[in-house]
Amino acid sequence: MENSSLSLAPYFSPHGIAVVGASTDPNKLGYGLARNLVQCNFQGVIHFVNPKGGSLFGRPIYPSVIDLPNPVDLAIILIPAEGVAKVLKECAERGIHAVIVSSGGFRETGEHGATLEKEILGIAREHDIRLIGPNCIGILDTHLPLDATFLPPPGPPPGDVAFISHSGAICAAVIDWARGQGFGLSRLVSLGNQADVTETDVLASVAEDRFTRVLTLYLEGVSNGRKFVQEARNITLTKPIVALKVGRYPSGQRAAASHTGALAGQENAFNAAFRRAGVIRADTSEELFDWARALAWSPLPKGRAIAVLTSAGGPGVTAADALEMNGMSLAVLAPETQAKLGQILPPAASLHNPVDMLASATPEQFAACLQVLLDDSGVHGVMVVTPPPPMHTTGAVAKTMIPIIQNSSKPVTIALMGERLIQEAVEHFRAARVPEYRFPERAASALAVLAQQAEYVDSEKQAKYVHARADLDAVKQVLQLRKDNPGYLDASEISTILKSYRLPGVPMRLAVNPEAAVLDAEEISYPVVLKIAAANITHKSDIGGVMLNLSDAEAVRSGFTKIVDNAKSLNPKVDFQGVYVQRMLPAGQEVILGAVQDAQFGPLVMCGSGGIEVEGLKDVAFSLAPLTLRDAEWMLESTWAGRRLHGFRSLPPADRKSVLDALILLGQLAADFPELAEIEINPLRVFSDSQGSAALDVRMRVA
């Protein structure tokens, strides 16, 4: 039984800490852990435990946890793996319910270690102990202060960026790198093997810290996808979360019968989950902290129109390209803005955006022009780009701009291009908490993330989930009858479900011989389409199982026979049930809609370019269900198939609203009935504006 309801407070505000495995040998990790706790100026009580006894840093070393005086509410265990279980039992007897197992030698080492890890987890759950680790570095809080790690000093400077990591080695690197990059950490949590406490468990506790402005995550996966999304969504409206999820390129993709299942891989699921939760996904370690600094130190913009202020033409063009590449735009400067710039700058300067002040620009001109740009209502943020000025120091330039940046309600990022000659400016900007980068591409990327966060906050405040009326009982009846017979539903079952959710199906009839197909075709009216009905045929077109635009009885008879022959010649074991007869519909644009149940995050909805090339094109977008209208809009605008619905060249605008409605209804169906493991409408034919759409082929599988 999990003990996730137990408080994590002792990890972040302990009254007394026991270091089990404290050592007097400076070469031992137990010595480093004890040293860090003492030197960090932790205000609570520190106890050392080692059967050898003695003293360390002027404190007695107790032979056992049982012997410790009060207070003690957090134990850190750093001893060989085989001894951890015994110490955990002593912690239970002593009434300690929060433990960090920093020791290695568990699941990460193989089968024996996995057995040891299972044993200590069982003890922890039996005695209501929360356990961080094993195989972790520990935790840090630079403001409490608390350094419960064995890493070499100095630790990170106090700051406002929290870091939660599955990797201990990454923690060590980040601490050292943060100091060199001029930003501080608030809290750091190394989770190790996550036998008990996971990244999801600690999110709220870290976010509650009043010094933390941004949370950063290094993830190799998540332990409970649905809970992670829920916890993160509770945080991201007020404190941004940036995640680096590694392991993006698995060596293989799970087998799936539908296009939707094949495309809904782990990374698409993570992207959809992060988007729903408002988690910003970084592609690189550098981006993770580039973005964290900007989010911690900058106001959010009200739009994506950016002004570039520079003292050189080339860097200005580079900045303009970088902004567009990151989904931003160059602001169109108001005439009065250009007039004011003209009064400040020499005649040869460029007053259009990017504003090129020329190499002769003085620190005072940098500051005055920056203020003018920030005063323009059409400018949502500014990027300042400068190589080392030939006649002035970059330090002087920085000092004149810092007061203006600090008093602005708009974000400003700095691209200081150079290395040695810009160090004075670097120090000034970092001390003033102004995000600075070496090149315009990184500065533009940071501005784009600020805009992304602003848009997320705005959209979530307006998000509304549409719960359409559906005939749930009819669907339940279909699925109940299939409870002991999982697999693909037949046409009548699919038709019932589509009607129950008002999804745009096309009536079809199952014919078991050519003459029956002719009768059905004549009742439906020509022209018609024939499609093979066989449970073990996934892609009908690939085996010649579809015949289009049949306009008379003879064509239907011939088509029926040809479908049967094609199927049996390619697959003698085909599970042939007959042929579906369907009305031939008018031309239109085609998209694919689908839904799958992801093991981690629940129902995922997909849309994109359909037809036989869907897996080759991979022009698809995924969102977690249920969907808001904004989710559905984003999905369409993220794919060429969706954007094309507005009209393109000779293609007239299509009934885009019918696709949005279908996406929302499909998401509701997938969320209401997780038994439906895969749903695919491929293609959904979308007719001219206001003429609706029709699902030409639908597959549904019950798990």
Side-chain angles (χ1 to χ4, degrees), residues 1-217:
M1 178 179 176
E2 292 188 17
N3 48 4
S4 58
S5 61
L6 295 172
S7 172
L8 299 182
Y11 289 113
F12 300 105
S13 56
H15 300 289
I17 300 175
V19 180
V20 183
S23 174
T24 57
D25 183 349
N27 296 312
K28 299 283 189 180
L29 294 180
Y31 178 90
L33 173 57
R35 174 203 61 215
N36 289 352
L37 271 174
V38 171
Q39 292 184 355
C40 78
N41 199 30
F42 172 62
Q43 297 301 299
V45 177
I46 302 170
H47 304 294
F48 297 140
V49 178
N50 193 310
K52 296 178 181 178
S55 64
L56 180 62
F57 298 117
R59 291 171 168 80
I61 300 177
Y62 295 89
S64 166
V65 172
I66 302 297
D67 301 318
L68 295 177
N70 287 326
V72 54
D73 50 1
L74 172 63
I76 307 168
I77 302 175
L78 190 52
I79 62 175
E82 284 75 8
V84 172
K86 177 178 179 292
V87 173
L88 265 184
K89 292 176 182 176
E90 293 175 352
C91 288
E93 185 178 343
R94 185 61 183 75
I96 300 170
H97 294 282
V99 174
I100 300 171
V101 179
S102 296
S103 313
F106 291 91
R107 187 175 72 228
E108 77 281 2
T109 63
E111 187 175 339
H112 176 65
T115 300
L116 292 176
E117 186 168 318
K118 186 176 180 181
E119 180 185 7
I120 67 169
L121 179 59
I123 295 168
R125 290 186 171 164
E126 180 184 354
H127 296 286
D128 291 335
I129 293 173
R130 295 313 308 265
L131 190 153
I132 288 181
N135 186 35
C136 70
I137 281 177
I139 60 176
L140 274 164
D141 186 322
T142 60
H143 298 280
L144 188 60
L146 171 67
D147 186 347
T149 77
F150 49 76
L151 297 175
D160 39 28
V161 177
F163 185 49
I164 301 169
S165 176
H166 287 169
S167 166
I170 293 291
C171 291
V174 164
I175 289 170
D176 191 46
W177 189 73
R179 182 172 289 278
Q181 292 296 305
F183 70 94
L185 298 178
S186 52
R187 285 181 171 175
L188 177 144
V189 183
S190 166
L191 293 165
N193 293 2
Q194 300 184 93
D196 175 34
V197 175
T198 69
E199 73 293 315
T200 303
D201 294 327
V202 301
L203 279 177
S205 296
V206 173
E208 286 168 1
D209 172 40
R210 64 190 179 96
F211 296 102
T212 295
R213 295 175 60 88
V214 179
L215 285 75
T216 56
L217 313 178

Side-chain angles (χ1 to χ4, degrees), residues 524-548:
I524 290 173
S525 77
Y526 294 108
V528 297
V529 177
L530 300 185
K531 297 177 181 177
I532 189 170
N536 59 348
I537 297 297
T538 303
H539 307 309
K540 301 177 180 68
S541 299
D542 292 352
I543 57 102
V546 179
M547 297 290 161
L548 302 174

